[in-house]
Amino acid sequence: MTTSSTKIVNTPWMRFVALLLAVLLAIGAFFLWLNTEEWVSTVGERAERLQELTVSDEVVACIDKRVADIDAMVDQGMISADAAEQSRSQARSLCYDRN
């Protein structure tokens, strides 16, 4: 009994598909490389914009005070942990809105 030495993976069509896939991946990598240089050059500008979005000291103080009050109520058993988490979220929103 003899077996066929040609399998579907080793056919000329599959080799062509593999070559085409390799070429497409190489083209994609080239375009990624081209766009990466532009992205890296703008890192400084994006860092400056991010610094402008930082939270003011007044907002931080407001959040800290309200969260401390909520933590004290949890310690005293006045509210549950789930209610405390919701209250913290509302406190952050309130502090951001006021300032």
Side-chain angles (χ1 to χ4, degrees), residues 1-96:
M1 220 192 246
T2 61
T3 59
S4 173
S5 62
T6 356
K7 296 184 179 179
I8 193 159
V9 177
N10 203 18
T11 61
W13 278 107
M14 284 299 163
R15 289 182 180 189
F16 176 72
V17 168
L19 178 65
L20 184 63
L21 181 63
V23 169
L24 289 175
L25 286 174
I27 290 171
F30 176 72
F31 282 118
L32 181 67
W33 177 73
L34 283 178
N35 291 328
T36 301
E37 186 175 337
E38 180 182 324
W39 181 80
V40 169
S41 67
T42 62
V43 167
E45 296 170 15
R46 286 182 281 132
E48 288 174 8
R49 278 189 276 150
L50 184 61
Q51 226 172 11
E52 293 171 4
L53 297 175
T54 56
V55 180
S56 70
D57 293 336
E58 296 149 356
V59 173
V60 171
C62 175
I63 291 173
D64 288 344
K65 180 188 177 304
R66 291 185 181 275
V67 167
D69 292 342
I70 293 168
D71 289 341
M73 287 192 291
V74 170
D75 291 341
Q76 294 171 1
M78 295 174 71
I79 60 174
S80 68
D82 293 334
E85 190 58 38
Q86 187 176 14
S87 297
R88 286 184 195 103
S89 175
Q90 291 171 350
R92 286 185 197 98
S93 297
L94 179 70
C95 291
Y96 284 121

